[in-house]
Amino acid sequence: MSPQNDFAKTLKSLHVPGNPLIVANVWDAITARTVASLPATQALATASYAVAAAAGLEDSALTLEVNLAAIQAIGRVAAEFNKPLTADFQDGFDDRLEEGIRAVIRAGAVGINLEDFGRELGEKGDLYPVDVAQDRIRRALKTAAEEGLPDFVINARTDALVVGQTIDEAIARGKAYLEAGASNVFIWGGKERQGMRTAEVEKASKALGGRLNVSLKRIVPGGLTVKELREIGVARISVGPQLMLRTQGAVAEEARRVLEGEGV
């Protein structure tokens, strides 16, 4: 067993229904160092959308190589600050799943987000059949165990709501992924429907025994608060690329002040 598995155990233990792990997702070494230095930070997590944007790519065009380059840089920061790292691994990069798992582990990650929306399925991508998605979770865990991480953490994301399925169908997928060995489930509400409804979060959390990841709304008002999500009983709260999107506005404003000579 690899000494790195201790970080995997720590990451897994932080997922407590009602006392959730809160992650402020990062996308490069600078943001990783900024977040890792905060006393309240328990773990580092990447956001693939932000990683792709930093490389000038759409999220759907993110390659394994570009993703790994970011994870490697962030992994060095995680090691320096003695924090577990979980990486957004999208859909597992098709038939490069095992290769990619070995690479992210060697880059320092002890957990991943793994989606059930395969970009290679059809012209615009589609959900994997449930049994295929389960098999991909099992394969990822088997590979991690071979690398000395039997406690590798998979936050299994389902895009069932994004493609128009119901919350009940999303929950059924979530249960199947937990059965396959995932530690937690992330039901992505998507941009079009502006995330999950409060009733959906409550229903999913109860059905999954609290083993639910919810994305906290920070850009638009009206989302559930951390306090409310704790009371609902979720095990993980993330923000995805929202820090990056908010940072763009701050950079633009500071740049404007410099370029216009304001206050100089």
Side-chain angles (χ1 to χ4, degrees):
M1 188 180 299
S2 167
Q4 193 176 349
N5 193 62
D6 290 340
F7 284 105
K9 287 181 178 179
T10 297
L11 180 62
K12 186 174 288 187
S13 72
L14 291 171
H15 291 75
V16 180
N19 185 24
L21 167 65
I22 303 174
V23 293
N25 302 76
V26 301
W27 57 95
D28 60 14
I30 295 173
T31 52
R33 185 173 300 280
T34 302
V35 171
S37 66
L38 299 174
T41 297
Q42 295 179 296
L44 291 177
T46 72
S48 71
Y49 183 101
V51 168
L57 299 170
E58 295 293 327
D59 192 32
S60 60
L62 181 65
T63 64
L64 176 58
E65 287 73 20
V66 171
N67 199 24
L68 283 174
I71 295 168
Q72 287 164 353
I74 295 165
R76 289 191 288 271
V77 176
E80 178 185 341
F81 284 84
N82 207 36
K83 306 285 185 185
L85 168 63
T86 177
D88 190 340
F89 201 56
Q90 293 192 324
D91 58 7
F93 299 92
D94 197 7
D95 59 0
R96 302 181 72 183
L97 177 64
E98 284 85 356
E99 172 194 352
I101 294 295
R102 295 186 194 282
V104 297
I105 288 173
R106 292 168 189 176
V110 295
I112 57 168
N113 271 25
L114 185 62
E115 302 170 12
D116 62 1
F117 187 89
R119 290 178 291 173
E120 79 282 5
L121 301 180
E123 187 176 329
K124 296 184 178 179
D126 201 356
L127 295 182
Y128 289 114
V130 173
D131 60 335
V132 174
Q134 284 183 302
D135 182 60
R136 292 178 72 78
I137 291 170
R138 294 188 182 105
R139 285 166 53 194
L141 290 171
K142 180 176 183 292
T143 302
E146 291 170 353
E147 290 292 309
L149 273 70
D151 291 290
F152 192 71
V153 176
I154 292 183
N155 190 37
R157 171 175 144 173
T158 178
D159 282 17
L161 295 180
V162 178
V163 301
Q165 294 186 5
T166 66
I167 187 62
D168 289 328
E169 290 171 306
I171 289 170
R173 279 182 169 265
K175 288 181 175 179
Y177 302 160
L178 292 175
E179 180 186 332
S183 299
N184 213 58
V185 174
F186 178 21
I187 298 177
W188 174 230
K191 295 179 182 178
E192 295 293 327
R193 65 199 308 278
Q194 296 187 341
M196 295 175 70
R197 313 288 183 262
T198 298
E200 291 173 333
V201 175
E202 292 172 338
K203 185 173 188 177
S205 182
K206 183 177 180 180
L208 299 171
R211 297 166 70 182
L212 179 68
N213 178 178
V214 175
S215 181
L216 185 71
K217 286 186 180 179
R218 297 292 294 171
I219 296 178
V220 295
L224 290 166
T225 65
V226 169
K227 181 177 182 292
E228 289 169 331
L229 289 170
R230 281 196 177 110
E231 291 171 350
I232 290 171
V234 306
R236 179 163 164 168
I237 299 171
S238 56
V239 296
Q242 292 180 84
L243 290 184
M244 182 201 68
L245 295 173
R246 292 188 73 170
T247 300
Q248 285 179 302
V251 171
E253 174 58 19
E254 185 63 21
R256 182 195 65 77
R257 289 166 60 89
V258 171
L259 292 170
E260 294 179 3
E262 187 175 317
V264 177

